[in-house]
Amino acid sequence: MYEDLIGLDSGIEELFVDPDPDNAREYFRGKSRALSNKVTTVEQAVSVLIHDGDYIAVGGFGHVRIPTAVIYEIVRQKKRNLGLAGHTSIYDSDLLATAGCIDRCDISYVIGYEIRGLSASSRRAFESKAIRKTDWSNGALAWRFAAGAAGLSFLPSRHMLGTDTFKHSAAKTIVCPFTGKRFCALPALYPDVAVIHVHAADSYGNGQITEGIRISDPHLARAARKVILSTERLIPHEDIRANPQATAIPYWCVDAVVEVPYGSHPGNMPGEYWFDEDFFKMYLDCVKTEEGSRALYDEYIYGVEDFEGYLDKIGGVKKMRELRAIEKLIYADRG
Amino acid sequence: MYEDLIGLDSGIEELFVDPDPDNAREYFRGKSRALSNKVTTVEQAVSVLIHDGDYIAVGGFGHVRIPTAVIYEIVRQKKRNLGLAGHTSIYDSDLLATAGCIDRCDISYVIGYEIRGLSASSRRAFESKAIRKTDWSNGALAWRFAAGAAGLSFLPSRHMLGTDTFKHSAAKTIVCPFTGKRFCALPALYPDVAVIHVHAADSYGNGQITEGIRISDPHLARAARKVILSTERLIPHEDIRANPQATAIPYWCVDAVVEVPYGSHPGNMPGEYWFDEDFFKMYLDCVKTEEGSRALYDEYIYGVEDFEGYLDKIGGVKKMRELRAIEKLIYADRG
Amino acid sequence: MHAEYNPLELLVCIGSRIIEDNSTVFVGTGVPMAATMLAQKLHSPNVILIFEAGSVAPQMPGLPISVGDSRTSHKALIASTMNDVMGACQCGRVDYTFLGGAQIDMYGNLNSTMIGDDYQQPKVRFPGSGGANDLASFCWRTVVITPMDDRRFVPEVNFITSPGYLSGKGAREKAGLPAGTGPYKVITNLCILGYDDDTCRMRIESLHPGVQVETVQENCGFELLKAENLEITPAPTAEELRVLREEVDPDGYIIGR
Amino acid sequence: MHAEYNPLELLVCIGSRIIEDNSTVFVGTGVPMAATMLAQKLHSPNVILIFEAGSVAPQMPGLPISVGDSRTSHKALIASTMNDVMGACQCGRVDYTFLGGAQIDMYGNLNSTMIGDDYQQPKVRFPGSGGANDLASFCWRTVVITPMDDRRFVPEVNFITSPGYLSGKGAREKAGLPAGTGPYKVITNLCILGYDDDTCRMRIESLHPGVQVETVQENCGFELLKAENLEITPAPTAEELRVLREEVDPDGYIIGR
């Protein structure tokens, strides 16, 4: 009725996550604020914290600073019917869609590998009705996390208006009470679980992103009910306190801390290692067919026990040293 | 009419600054993006960039990381009819109110000096009709800057509701289109000029706050039409590029850069020097009477040519070394 | 026994006891800073202090003068922005806030803005909300620490700066404030007050040593309810007073010595 | 002459010329990254590149593969967040954005989402908006760089992912998009297109060397308007091609060599 009276528009697709801040507040009220040791294994973190049906979101930028080890483990544990925030997502959403882990997705960017082209297996998955879809822009999903981080149910913005991206979203329009102008209203997004990879974290889950951009991760960590924090290295608690400006993720958001050196491979970890372009080429080639895809997943994910087993397969420390050399501009003629 | 239909409430006081993002956009469109040398003197910055009638906002936290030198210069140049964002403001608003520079103020905190008590001269000024007042909370003004920084006309929030702070604000209420819940709608605040003090800046106006909290300054700088950046020290442009994560204020927001060592005295500059408590005690004592106030301002502001003249009066480098020692915990028995 | 401590020391010591270890506490300026620092040193080393200017969980080398000074971010876990910590508060991560105020009414509404009839020309102007309205709106439990007299405890505050229970039960939710939040305790130099569940009116819960109900009521401008079992507040201990005087506030900024 | 460069090299070279020094440019993935980097090396050393993941004004040591990779923040002025740079964009500080897309119509509306009738089960699914809808909504001028054929230049896009002029003049403002924004140029391998002021319809403004109007029209699924004075685009220079091939994209990621 309220909407009729003031002529609001509304996107027609499904809103997958409850935006009510009082429900989120009630959850956050019960979450421990103790500085306790949260270090665990990837296997434990995924099996304890992610349940079939959960709505998850992944930090980083799809193939940059992504928590690959945790995503592989979600695939390996055959989680099913997950919802996903397909925000700037590339290798992360591709793995989850290809492996059949997700049945719904808020899409702002999926399937694509930026200048490398598209993933055929992702495309197959997203062209099927098996994944329920709602579209947004990257900025919209970033602001939906920001709304959650601030304990709101919505934020206004000025994009998506007039487009089919709006029509096939679950956004609404709203009139500014000060200017009478029309804005897009974005519902807050409070994921059940966020999975984020950082450079350094202490055992309590204070996470620092020491190089490169932070993308949406500070807001994502604050909006999510639970957070699995994957880190290149654990550092002493005192080191966090020595540089509190660098803490992008507060411990009180975090439920599990896992130390995974090279944990973003084949992605780029700013300041640590460059993309493994050979691997991506091989991957995108293999997933062109369902058979190729199956064989690849069998070999690199199902066929290894953990991320260390995977690292051996992709060339181990030697390979990572090469990728580090490219990142550090040690070989100016590469990459 | 829209408001009648959906039963919105509205604060009854004056909205001092136009929240229309299209007007702000038009201004920002015309602002240079060139990396040009903006270094000037405090005297020039104030005389060129601040005009009688402008609405200004001050960074820092009232007596922490405040641009004292610039505020003194505004007083010295006898600017009149300024509007002020009285956000976390202490010594900054006290100076401007006592000296008769402002005729309107969005108040969230003025007059008080936290645990030191109140300023009698500020109280006289704010109890008079000569300053038109609109009240808010600190969080509300912080979000009003955030709305400006994001190019919006408003942001929703959940405070001020049900109180006289709301009634005597210029906020409105709004209904969330997703939950039907009632929110406070805060109008964006786009100040004409922001004045901000930082630890380090390059000549183009890239500002870095290298210790302590950033309060609302990143948003304030982005929301203001013009920014005067005061810095403890100028650093080479390359040093900014060596640590881009630390850039709190982008050069494209900034119109003038002034290097003012000790520029926050008698305030606390995190990592540099502690409060000058002797000065504050003397100040608060003097301003109890109008005569005392006049004599004090004559001596420390009107009677000196610039901030360096003032520094000589308050004890010069020797005094600043003492305050630095307290800040750095060199004398554990002081402060 | 009264001679051993002054009313402000009493306030700080009693106030500090309410602070739970491993809880998140958003700290206002003044007495609350001393009370939380005392708690940290005595019984709640892992209380997480949050300051509105953007600091979380500092290990303070001395009493801050401001909720935004460098001591509040000394060896902190996070030094960020006001928006960031206000967001943490608005999304329900903060258990307690400790506030003061010039006036308080029976529903815990606080006035720190003005006295008088004309908003634009008040009889007395105070600083305004600062962060108090935000914290009283967002935090789960609001604790007020204030000396008690009938000029502070008034039937009707001149201006509701920060919300208590507003006009009574259900009024906060109706206004749009987050569900389940509101006033929790008022700690004074005479007693500890709480709120009646049904009416949301202030009630006496514990009397400080040597204080009678009549004295409390005489110092209050409205009628106070009484808890069924009135307790007697244990007096400040020698250890509390020693740490307060020697370690927390040796310069007497708060306790005035 | 045509044999000297391939269509992608032509696109990148022509695209790079539109980039003004000291302007702010929000860069999408792919061809735009190469075009802006080429401009930076040739004639606009002080162009301020902005990337959606949070980086401003990097000095890139090589062509980024992603708008969020570490090269985009190498010696940058700011490395922050997506919200921060989107905010800069929404508040009108960004002059240009360079985008691609699978389909474009006569009003410059872009489709990078899907082909087909059933949104939930599309014939072809593309990545979606990414940041494109944001940039096309917020930046002052939208430049599209794309190869030209009648499967891309269609009478009606299957899905408006990112707004051009929507249904024509005034439609953007009516929908609520910021005033004064919208499509500016389309750079193809055949010509440079602009928009008619009155109708907001796409028009031919400059033909690349050896290209006829008829060829352009044949490769377009809708009727193109023509500017009064059709210009001839200068061919890529040897210097442009050398810097592109040797310094910008030696691995041929974009230009495919």
Side-chain angles (χ1 to χ4, degrees), chain A residues 125-194:
Chain A
F126 282 100
E127 285 171 358
S128 136
K129 276 202 160 149
I131 299 178
R132 286 136 57 205
K133 294 169 273 289
T134 303
D135 263 69
W136 311 83
S137 65
N138 270 344
L141 285 182
W143 273 315
R144 292 186 64 198
F145 294 139
L152 296 168
S153 59
F154 77 104
L155 278 176
S157 67
R158 305 189 78 186
H159 47 187
M160 307 217 301
L161 296 162
T163 65
D164 292 318
T165 306
F166 177 86
K167 185 179 161 197
H168 289 282
S169 74
K172 294 177 186 280
T173 59
I174 193 169
V175 175
C176 164
F178 300 99
T179 61
K181 294 194 174 182
R182 198 179 181 72
F183 284 77
C184 178
L186 298 164
L189 177 43
Y190 294 98
D192 292 315
V193 189

Side-chain angles (χ1 to χ4, degrees), chain B:
Chain B
M1 199 204 72
Y2 161 69
E3 301 183 8
D4 293 345
L5 286 175
I6 56 171
L8 292 181
D9 291 334
S10 190
I12 62 173
E13 305 300 339
E14 196 178 347
L15 181 58
F16 297 123
V17 178
D18 173 16
D20 193 320
D22 285 307
N23 295 337
R25 281 180 61 90
E26 204 51 48
Y27 183 88
F28 292 134
R29 180 177 204 168
K31 204 164 170 165
S32 168
R33 291 85 157 97
L35 288 161
S36 59
N37 184 347
K38 297 169 188 165
V39 176
T40 184
T41 61
V42 174
E43 188 277 331
Q44 276 296 303
V46 170
S47 69
V48 171
L49 295 170
I50 301 183
H51 304 109
D52 288 357
D54 278 353
Y55 185 100
I56 70 170
V58 182
F61 198 85
H63 51 163
V64 179
R65 203 168 45 67
I66 48 168
T68 311
V70 180
I71 309 288
Y72 283 165
E73 186 63 25
I74 294 171
V75 170
R76 195 178 292 118
Q77 291 189 20
K78 297 196 164 62
K79 299 289 179 185
R80 287 295 175 268
N81 305 318
L82 299 178
L84 178 69
H87 171 244
T88 71
S89 66
I90 296 179
Y91 192 52
D92 43 4
S93 65
D94 191 2
L95 290 164
L96 296 169
T98 302
C101 300
I102 61 174
D103 69 0
R104 60 200 188 281
C105 188
D106 283 306
I107 299 177
S108 61
Y109 189 90
V110 296
I111 302 172
Y113 273 70
E114 298 200 43
I115 68 176
R116 297 181 203 99
L118 303 172
S119 156
S121 61
S122 260
R123 182 173 249 180
R124 282 190 299 274
F126 281 100
E127 284 172 357
S128 139
K129 275 202 161 148
I131 299 178
R132 284 136 57 206
K133 294 169 274 288
T134 304
D135 264 69
W136 309 84
S137 66
N138 271 343
L141 284 181
W143 273 316
R144 292 186 63 197
F145 294 139
L152 296 168
S153 58
F154 77 102
L155 278 176
S157 66
R158 307 189 78 185
H159 45 188
M160 307 217 303
L161 296 161
T163 66
D164 292 317
T165 305
F166 177 86
K167 183 180 164 196
H168 289 283
S169 75
K172 294 180 187 280
T173 59
I174 193 169
V175 175
C176 165
F178 299 99
T179 60
K181 295 193 174 183
R182 199 181 180 71
F183 284 79
C184 178
L186 298 164
L189 177 42
Y190 294 100
D192 292 314
V193 189
V195 187
I196 301 175
H197 189 65
V198 297
H199 296 80
D202 68 8
S203 62
Y204 306 140
N206 291 293
Q208 300 191 331
I209 296 167
T210 53
E211 285 213 37
I213 66 288
R214 292 187 292 276
I215 313 146
S216 300
D217 295 9
H219 286 141
L220 169 56
R222 286 157 173 81
R225 282 174 157 72
K226 292 179 277 185
V227 174
I228 299 174
L229 192 67
S230 155
T231 178
E232 285 289 322
R233 61 190 68 86
L234 284 167
I235 60 171
H237 179 60
E238 291 66 34
D239 291 5
I240 299 283
R241 291 195 182 273
N243 188 16
Q245 285 195 341
T247 307
I249 296 170
Y251 79 96
W252 63 41
C253 299
V254 174
D255 298 81
V257 180
V258 294
E259 187 185 41
V260 191
Y262 315 120
S264 231
H265 178 277
N268 163 223
M269 186 68 186
E272 301 280 341
Y273 41 89
W274 187 240
F275 299 107
D276 186 343
E277 286 304 313
D278 297 335
F279 184 91
F280 275 130
K281 195 168 180 314
M282 183 272 291
Y283 177 94
L284 290 174
D285 229 46
C286 287
V287 298
K288 280 179 184 158
T289 65
E290 295 196 29
E291 302 68 44
S293 187
R294 259 197 301 278
L296 180 86
Y297 277 59
D298 278 343
E299 172 150 13
Y300 287 95
I301 304 180
Y302 300 115
V304 296
E305 204 155 306
D306 54 23
F307 196 71
E308 282 157 16
Y310 161 84
L311 281 179
D312 288 344
K313 280 213 189 278
I314 59 96
V317 171
K318 180 167 180 296
K319 180 72 183 180
M320 295 313 299
R321 274 185 55 215
E322 286 172 29
L323 298 175
R324 180 175 161 78
I326 303 173
E327 175 70 10
K328 293 294 194 182
L329 307 175
I330 292 166
Y331 304 141
D333 58 337
R334 285 287 303 272

